[in-house]
Amino acid sequence: MVADTLLNLVLRGVFVLMGVGAVLAIVRWLVAATRERREQWAQRISLAMVLLAVVYAFGHARLLWSRDELEAGRMKYARFGDPRLAELNRAEVRGWILDCSGSDAHALARYAVRQGEVSRIYPMGEAGANLVGGGDSAEVRDYTVERLFTKQLRRPLSFGELGELHPAGRDMQLTLCAPATLEAHRLLQGTGLQGTIIVQDVRNGALIAYTATGTASQAPFGIKRYALPGSVFKLALAALWWDAGLPDERLPCPAEVKVSDRAPAIHNFESHAYPSLEVPREMLVVSCNTQAILMGIRMRQQLGQDAFVDGLQRMGFAVYTDERPQTPTDFWNSGSAAWIRRMSPPVNRVKVKKRWDPFEWAQMSIGQGPVDVTPIGVSRFVSAIGNGGVMLPVTLEADRLDDLPEGRQVMKPATAVKLQRAMLEVVQKGTGVRALPIVEGTGWSIGGKTGTADVVRGHIPDGWFAGLMFTPDGRPRYSIVVYLQNGGQGGRSAAPVAAMMTRWMAQQAAAEARAAAADSARAGSPDSAAPGRGGR
């Protein structure tokens, strides 16, 4: 194979040298003939041949320079135009897509023999269709690893493959874990609702599990689509309070609050009321809307609107008045320009009018009205809470974990710790209490914030749970975001799903620990150590 490649390169070089030599010979003869004023008809033919060679060389060089754009256009036409080219495109060989284990057994995309023919298969099926590829209408899915990393997957594996018409391609390993993604898909399917489940490693931003509903023609539900966060936004509100150094104090939690004579009153869920609660901790635990509104207005009065806005922007919320903010390109830790360009989610954003509107400010304080987020944007923010306040870009390519960026400190480490404790209380005795019995006995804990977002009057609200999975030693290990469209109260719909995912992750970690202990015991036994000296 290497010899074929070398021969190919040598032949190309000889062809170029022969062409250049022929052109130089013709030019030399043409110069001599012009000086001697002879054979004018031959001079014209020679001049035409030289000009034709120059035009051909220029055109060929231009084609080589634009080969990436031409290939992209050919691929687009192959998918949406000539069906014969579509079949040829399907036949092009690509590397395997491996999951976080790097094992062939858990490959996310590979080749297998089906009905006597070798074809590309996607073992996770619909569970991975909206991120990896495959599922129904796999050939037209555009927002996928399979499509956007095509160039990397088709890259020749070795020097010897450079001369091959269809090189075998280079395998690619993701941080996505197939078993975890399959379990997340099973849980999401069990709700019967549209939505998404996202799990991240808080230590490095790695995307561990991602599943979402949606068809091949739709942009990824959890990445590209905006939603109202509801009370999940109160985590940002509490972070602003603690970061500003405001004291923990008791404030009333009335059943409703009216901030403007021209606007309707805003109520707590089911009109709950408390004589007083400690803010912001207990505000998060019981998710008191009226208290959050009083906190938001008070921070604007004491800190000023500019300080409030600066704090939100530091935590990843783009605050705007008229012109909508652009999609940032630093969300992913990726080496693929195509992935960054196509899959960067729109930024979490908050709209603030030039003239202060108390009702708008109240709505913003409880995650309604002028607040837009993406589920994966919420996941990144919650991961920062679990990472001591340091926000990292989301990583999908396993090889990018070897060189992680530093990240940026979006909140004080002490603020992150306080938020973690409050999130644990939400599950222990607050709005997320339905998740508690599900994780009991695993040694792991779950903390988070429920959210119920009113979308359209008369419709069932969206349900949220944004939280952290804590290992038996009390450290945050993973973030978990569950978003269920029209799921109703987040504590009743999304929180149990997050708890079931946490229980599965805990059981998986325990099984891996037992397997590692067994392997260690076998490796340390005299019977297993003796043959080691012979080696291979």
Side-chain angles (χ1 to χ4, degrees):
M1 188 177 293
V2 174
D4 292 342
T5 302
L6 289 173
L7 180 61
N8 193 340
L9 295 175
V10 169
L11 290 175
R12 289 182 183 181
V14 170
F15 178 77
V16 172
L17 289 175
M18 289 177 62
V20 172
V23 170
L24 290 177
I26 293 173
V27 170
R28 290 180 62 186
W29 181 89
L30 184 61
V31 171
T34 302
R35 289 176 178 174
E36 297 174 6
R37 297 181 178 180
R38 59 183 172 86
E39 302 177 353
Q40 293 186 359
W41 63 271
Q43 293 180 35
R44 296 187 184 99
I45 294 175
S46 300
L47 182 60
M49 291 177 64
V50 171
L51 291 176
L52 183 62
V54 170
V55 171
Y56 174 80
F58 176 77
H60 192 67
R62 186 177 180 184
L63 286 175
L64 291 175
W65 182 264
S66 307
R67 60 184 180 275
D68 290 339
E69 291 80 1
L70 292 171
E71 176 66 13
R74 188 186 72 82
M75 288 292 298
K76 184 176 181 180
Y77 183 67
R79 293 203 304 275
F80 306 113
D82 191 339
R84 294 168 300 176
L85 292 181
E87 290 301 316
L88 288 174
N89 178 52
R90 289 178 59 195
E92 291 181 358
V93 184
R94 287 153 285 172
W96 287 27
I97 301 177
L98 306 176
D99 85 332
C100 63
S101 67
S103 168
D104 290 352
H106 291 159
L108 305 175
R110 61 184 177 86
Y111 288 97
V113 177
R114 282 188 172 179
Q115 299 178 350
E117 295 184 0
V118 177
S119 60
R120 187 80 162 177
I121 66 170
Y122 305 87
M124 289 202 303
E126 290 296 327
N130 279 322
L131 190 69
V132 177
D136 294 336
S137 305
E139 66 279 1
V140 298
R141 290 187 181 273
D142 197 28
Y143 296 86
T144 61
V145 172
E146 184 74 281
R147 186 69 65 190
L148 297 174
F149 283 92
T150 296
K151 188 175 181 180
Q152 289 87 327
L153 292 168
R154 289 179 179 155
R155 184 179 301 153
L157 184 61
S158 63
F159 179 76
E161 283 192 354
L162 288 174
E164 295 293 315
L165 179 61
H166 294 295
R170 190 180 297 270
D171 294 345
M172 175 182 180
Q173 184 179 354
L174 304 183
T175 63
L176 206 68
C177 297
T181 299
L182 286 168
E183 178 63 16
H185 180 71
R186 185 188 70 82
L187 292 172
L188 183 59
Q189 290 293 102
T191 66
L193 299 168
Q194 300 290 309
T196 184
I197 299 175
I198 302 171
V199 178
Q200 273 189 264
D201 190 328
V202 302
R203 303 168 304 174
N204 52 26
L207 191 62
I208 302 299
Y210 173 92
T211 188
T213 55
T215 65
S217 61
Q218 294 175 325
F221 201 92
I223 298 176
K224 304 290 286 187
R225 177 169 177 160
Y226 271 138
L228 286 171
S231 292
V232 167
F233 185 77
K234 293 172 184 174
L235 290 171
L237 191 74
L240 288 172
W241 182 280
W242 275 318
D243 262 7
L246 296 176
D248 295 341
E249 58 180 286
R250 304 194 72 83
L251 293 176
C253 175
E256 65 177 41
V257 63
K258 193 173 178 65
V259 296
S260 172
D261 294 335
R262 299 180 180 180
I266 300 176
H267 300 260
N268 285 329
F269 178 73
E270 296 181 346
S271 297
H272 288 311
Y274 300 89
S276 69
L277 294 172
E278 182 185 287
V279 295
R281 181 179 60 85
E282 289 184 316
M283 180 275 295
L284 294 173
V285 174
V286 304
S287 198
C288 177
N289 287 340
T290 56
Q291 202 172 51
I293 291 169
L294 296 175
M295 286 175 56
I297 293 175
R298 180 170 171 181
M299 279 193 283
R300 184 187 181 279
Q301 293 172 344
Q302 291 191 1
L303 306 177
Q305 182 167 312
D306 289 345
F308 193 94
V309 166
D310 290 344
L312 284 177
Q313 290 179 331
R314 185 178 67 252
M315 288 186 283
F317 293 87
V319 182
Y320 71 104
T321 300
D322 297 316
E323 187 175 348
R324 295 178 180 179
Q326 298 295 316
T327 297
T329 58
D330 61 349
F331 186 89
W332 295 98
N333 172 28
S334 174
S336 169
W339 180 265
I340 292 173
R341 181 175 61 254
R342 189 67 166 157
M343 294 296 283
S344 290
V347 64
N348 293 343
R349 66 188 188 187
V350 179
K351 185 175 183 179
V352 177
K353 296 178 181 177
K354 293 181 179 180
R355 184 176 181 180
W356 185 59
D357 183 341
F359 183 74
E360 176 196 62
W361 200 268
Q363 288 281 83
M364 178 264 293
S365 299
I366 59 174
Q368 294 285 161
V371 184
D372 297 308
V373 299
T374 60
I376 200 167
V378 172
S379 177
R380 187 187 184 196
F381 172 69
V382 174
S383 294
I385 297 175
N387 193 36
V390 177
M391 182 175 285
L392 296 169
V394 181
T395 301
L396 181 63
E397 300 139 72
D399 59 353
R400 303 288 293 185
L401 296 177
D402 297 331
D403 186 22
L404 289 174
E406 293 184 1
R408 50 192 179 86
Q409 194 81 38
V410 299
M411 65 185 72
K412 296 176 181 178
T415 296
V417 171
K418 290 179 180 180
L419 284 172
Q420 292 173 24
R421 292 172 180 169
M423 292 163 74
L424 286 168
E425 285 192 60
V426 168
V427 173
Q428 292 165 358
K429 57 183 180 181
T431 57
V433 73
R434 294 189 180 212
L436 185 60
I438 298 175
V439 297
E440 284 182 344
T442 64
W444 285 48
S445 303
I446 181 174
K449 183 69 193 78
T450 60
T452 307
D454 294 322
V455 282
V456 179
R457 186 176 296 276
H459 286 66
I460 300 173
D462 294 347
W464 284 86
F465 184 88
L468 296 168
M469 303 179 189
F470 295 81
T471 56
D473 61 2
R475 295 182 181 181
R477 184 69 170 82
Y478 302 107
S479 65
I480 170 77
V481 170
V482 178
Y483 169 66
L484 300 176
Q485 188 178 39
N486 304 131
Q489 187 188 2
R492 295 175 182 172
S493 60
V497 174
M500 286 186 278
M501 190 69 206
T502 302
R503 182 178 183 85
W504 186 90
M505 296 290 287
Q507 293 171 342
Q508 188 79 357
E512 291 174 358
R514 289 193 297 268
D519 290 343
S520 178
R522 283 193 296 268
S525 66
D527 292 339
S528 63
R533 290 202 174 270
R536 282 187 290 178

